[in-house]
Amino acid sequence: MIGQFSEDTVRVFAAELGCALGFLHDFGVIHRDVKMENILLTDNGHLRLADFGLSRRLERGGRAFTICGTIQYMAPEVLSGGPYNHAADWWSLGILLFSLTTGKFPVPPEPDHCSMLRKVRSFPYEIPLSFSSQLSLLLSELLCKTPSRRLRSLDRFKRQTFFHQSTFDLELMQRRPVEVILELRERPDRAAKARRGLTLSLQPLKGFDYDSLLSPPPTPDPQLDMSTPSGTLAPPLPGPPRQLPQENRARREVFV
């Protein structure tokens, strides 16, 4: 179904993103904006975590207070203005995995932090009955509202039953393509759904002049005489060249 993935596919995505977060946290970096829009795909469908514009150095035991990120992915301690630490990234990963599996967010986004915080704190985060017990357990530990009790380390992440008989060896994972992504790439409507604006590569209408749409309109030349044939310059007006007043010349020399 479009908009959601099977648990087998989510398992691969979760393992790769968990490794990415573990790598960053070991180097004292908190991402603070883990979300779908910041996940890139390789040709074989594997994930790359991108956009470190909100990231910052935060050593183990450090605390941050800046309210930043994307509101529907933000942990409750981030929404409240801190203090928070690397555990906030694992909460965002839980929201992401929930969304990949269901096709929707566990809590609809609110327009401001205060109302979103109230909803997050009061929401029970009920796991759909369609989820396996292993995935339900993983999400319940990632979406724990108390940061100190939340799953917040790669070692604990790897020990989850959801990853039983799965590998966290990135080299081995990269060798096997993610089949569902390759299938989606071959869909006939992929180009129309993925494009942003009109592109020449699609060419859905034969003989249509795309250049007239993609090229900016020409800037009218004031020296062109509209009564003359197209492209012919009108003769210059008689008389001496116009001189700027002394005051304007001085002002022009200052700002040019």
Side-chain angles (χ1 to χ4, degrees):
M1 181 181 297
I2 299 301
Q4 58 192 101
F5 294 94
S6 68
E7 289 192 15
D8 289 337
T9 303
V10 171
R11 184 177 292 106
V12 176
F13 292 162
E16 295 185 349
L17 290 174
C19 289
L21 290 182
F23 178 85
L24 289 177
H25 295 171
D26 285 344
F27 277 88
V29 175
I30 180 174
H31 190 278
R32 300 201 292 189
D33 202 16
V34 177
K35 60 179 180 178
M36 292 187 191
E37 293 85 345
N38 290 339
I39 306 298
L40 306 180
L41 291 174
T42 67
D43 290 338
N44 287 330
H46 292 282
L47 305 189
R48 297 289 186 271
L49 183 59
D51 194 349
F52 292 83
L54 296 180
S55 302
R56 60 158 290 183
R57 294 281 302 179
L58 188 68
E59 300 297 338
R60 296 288 185 179
R63 300 186 300 173
F65 297 87
T66 303
I67 300 177
C68 62
T70 302
I71 195 165
Q72 58 263 48
Y73 292 90
M74 292 164 65
E77 65 269 22
V78 179
L79 286 163
S80 63
Y84 61 87
N85 53 28
H86 303 87
D89 280 347
W90 293 100
W91 170 283
S92 299
L93 177 60
I95 297 292
L96 177 61
L97 298 181
F98 186 102
S99 304
L100 290 176
T101 313
T102 62
K104 60 182 179 181
F105 292 106
V107 178
E110 292 289 335
D112 61 86
H113 296 96
C114 294
S115 56
M116 188 67 179
L117 176 60
R118 287 193 296 268
K119 180 173 286 190
V120 167
R121 283 178 169 172
S122 62
F123 193 75
Y125 287 90
E126 296 179 357
I127 304 299
L129 297 177
S130 59
F131 284 11
S132 67
S133 59
Q134 294 85 359
L135 178 59
S136 299
L137 177 60
L138 173 64
L139 291 178
S140 65
E141 295 202 24
L142 288 172
L143 297 179
C144 177
K145 298 175 184 178
T146 305
S148 60
R149 298 171 53 191
R150 185 180 306 151
L151 190 164
R152 60 187 190 279
S153 70
L154 181 57
D155 288 338
R156 184 176 166 188
F157 188 73
K158 290 180 178 179
R159 293 197 300 267
Q160 292 292 306
T161 56
F162 182 64
F163 300 109
H164 182 60
Q165 295 183 342
S166 299
T167 180
F168 279 82
D169 188 316
L170 292 178
E171 185 176 350
L172 293 177
M173 284 193 290
Q174 299 293 322
R175 293 178 183 176
R176 178 178 298 179
V178 182
E179 295 296 338
V180 65
I181 299 299
L182 301 185
E183 294 172 3
L184 290 174
R185 288 174 54 189
E186 300 302 323
R187 287 178 57 91
D189 60 347
R190 170 183 173 268
K193 289 181 178 296
R195 66 180 179 176
R196 294 294 183 268
L198 189 61
T199 60
L200 288 173
S201 60
L202 299 179
Q203 295 286 353
L205 300 176
K206 293 183 179 180
F208 193 81
D209 186 6
Y210 286 88
D211 290 335
S212 62
L213 292 179
L214 297 179
S215 302
T219 304
D221 191 336
Q223 294 187 10
L224 286 176
D225 186 357
M226 300 303 295
S227 62
T228 61
S230 177
T232 304
L233 291 177
L237 296 176
R242 181 172 175 267
Q243 297 290 332
L244 289 173
Q246 185 67 31
E247 179 183 358
N248 289 349
R249 284 205 306 272
R251 185 179 303 167
R252 184 171 181 273
E253 291 172 359
V254 172
F255 291 100
V256 170

